[in-house]
């Protein structure tokens, strides 16, 4: 038996999927240059309510099933410290899943992890949070998309390198944020390659220069932002005291924000 997610009254309603899963999505996300069609969301094969966090280790392929929060995971709020729908152990690989609404705190990676073709229909607190403490951790997001994130899409709290490629994001606050005020701070490396960002959005990436963070941007397409309001790379002075970090400039500098004007296309 499967069920459908409950309606949400306090956030923008889902528009619904408009394209069937198959070659259209697979071919779109496999190409090197994103297009406006890259943000076409797949149709779920089924839907399942999740009342408590699911732990994942090894490889888990959901076959494009939609998971959504219910019970303690079903408030749909932006409150901090919500539980995730899925918690991935170090080394886990998650494939072909749609996170519906309510989305709670999305996905947590406790160490290196791989997310392949994962879609968020309506981001809750965050789409995914990366938490491992080793500088050798590598977090990989390949394919998929996320939309309706009033704050952050990806929250990078741990150490290591985050690689995101062939990904579509629409209507968001900050696409990727290196934690600006975590109690334990690390140097973090962020690589974005072949990303389509559809306005509205505020920032693609936010990094802490004082901790040695860096962000490399390649193959970025920004759609519908004729006034160029989206900041590709925002620099901050981070802290470990919980205070709001102060900004430290923006734009390419070859050290912290690594990209050139040719790496970003506006459509």
């Amino acid at each position: 038996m499967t069920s459908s997610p409950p309606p949400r009254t306090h956030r923008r309603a889902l528009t619904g999927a408009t394209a069937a899963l198959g070659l259209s999505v697979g071919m779109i996300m496999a190409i090197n240059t994103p297009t406006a069609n890259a943000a076409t969301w797949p149709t779920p094969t089924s839907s399942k309510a999740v009342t408590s966090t699911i732990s994942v280790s090894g490889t888990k392929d959901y076959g494009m099933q939609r998971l959504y929060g219910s019970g303690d995971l079903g408030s749909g709020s932006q409150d901090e410290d919500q539980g995730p729908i899925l918690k991935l152990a170090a080394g886990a690989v998650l494939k072909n899943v749609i996170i519906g609404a309510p989305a709670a705190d999305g996905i947590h990676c406790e160490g290196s992890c791989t997310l392949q073709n994962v879609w968020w229909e309506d981001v809750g607190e965050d789409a995914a949070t990366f938490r491992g403490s080793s500088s050798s951790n590598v977090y990989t997001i390949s394919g998929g998309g996320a939309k309706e994130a009033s704050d952050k899409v990806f929250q990078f709290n741990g150490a290591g390198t985050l690689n995101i490629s062939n990904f579509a994001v629409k209507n968001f606050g900050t696409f990727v944020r290196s934690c600006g005020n975590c109690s334990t701070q690390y140097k973090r490396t962020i690589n974005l390659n072949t990303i389509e960002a559809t306005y509205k959005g505020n920032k693609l990436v936010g990094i802490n220069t004082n901790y040695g963070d860096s962000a490399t941007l390649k193959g970025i397409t920004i759609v519908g932002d004729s006034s160029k309001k989206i900041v590709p790379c925002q620099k901050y002075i981070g802290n470990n005291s919980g205070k709001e970090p102060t900004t430290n400039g923006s734009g390419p500098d070859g050290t912290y924000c690594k990209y050139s004007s040719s790496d970003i296309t506006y459509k």
Side-chain angles (χ1 to χ4, degrees), residues 46-266:
S46 63
S47 293
K48 177 182 178 181
V50 178
T51 57
S52 61
T53 298
I54 300 170
S55 295
V56 176
S57 59
T59 298
K60 177 65 176 178
D61 188 334
Y62 275 94
M64 301 312 296
Q65 184 178 44
R66 175 196 282 132
L67 305 178
Y68 65 93
S70 183
D72 290 343
L73 298 178
S75 71
S77 74
Q78 284 288 315
D79 294 342
E80 297 292 331
D81 300 320
Q82 294 183 77
I85 300 291
L86 296 160
K87 183 168 72 172
L88 275 58
V93 177
L94 178 67
K95 297 181 178 182
N96 303 319
V97 66
I98 299 170
I99 306 299
D105 200 26
I107 296 169
H108 286 186
C109 283
E110 300 302 303
S112 295
C113 67
T114 300
L115 309 181
Q116 296 180 0
N117 199 35
V118 177
W119 299 80
W120 290 261
E121 292 179 322
D122 194 341
V123 174
E125 183 181 342
D126 299 308
T129 303
F130 307 98
R131 300 157 57 97
S133 60
S134 172
S135 61
S136 64
N137 283 333
V138 177
Y139 317 90
T140 301
I141 301 173
S142 177
K147 59 183 177 178
E148 315 306 337
S150 61
D151 191 7
K152 300 174 295 296
V153 178
F154 296 122
Q155 177 71 37
F156 196 176
N157 290 352
T161 299
L162 172 60
N163 299 316
I164 306 176
S165 63
N166 295 305
F167 196 89
V169 61
K170 179 179 181 181
N171 296 341
F172 58 98
T174 298
F175 180 41
V176 184
R177 179 67 171 102
S178 174
C179 185
N181 54 13
C182 285
S183 58
T184 302
Q185 291 284 26
Y186 306 97
K187 176 182 178 180
R188 305 179 180 104
T189 301
I190 299 168
N191 298 309
L192 305 183
N193 191 346
T194 314
I195 306 298
E196 181 195 70
T198 301
Y199 191 74
K200 296 180 177 180
N202 293 328
K203 305 172 186 70
L204 285 183
V205 62
I207 56 174
N208 306 312
T209 58
N210 56 317
Y211 294 120
D213 292 355
S214 67
T216 300
L217 282 62
K218 295 181 179 180
I220 307 299
T221 300
I222 297 179
V223 180
D225 184 15
S226 58
S227 298
K228 298 184 179 181
K229 295 180 180 179
I230 294 176
V231 177
C233 186
Q234 178 68 59
K235 291 172 274 192
Y236 294 91
I237 301 295
N239 64 74
N240 59 3
S241 63
K243 296 180 180 179
E244 283 300 312
T246 57
T247 57
N248 190 30
S250 63
D253 56 28
T255 301
Y256 304 108
C257 293
K258 301 179 180 181
Y259 67 96
S260 65
S261 58
S262 63
D263 291 309
I264 300 178
T265 301
Y266 290 86

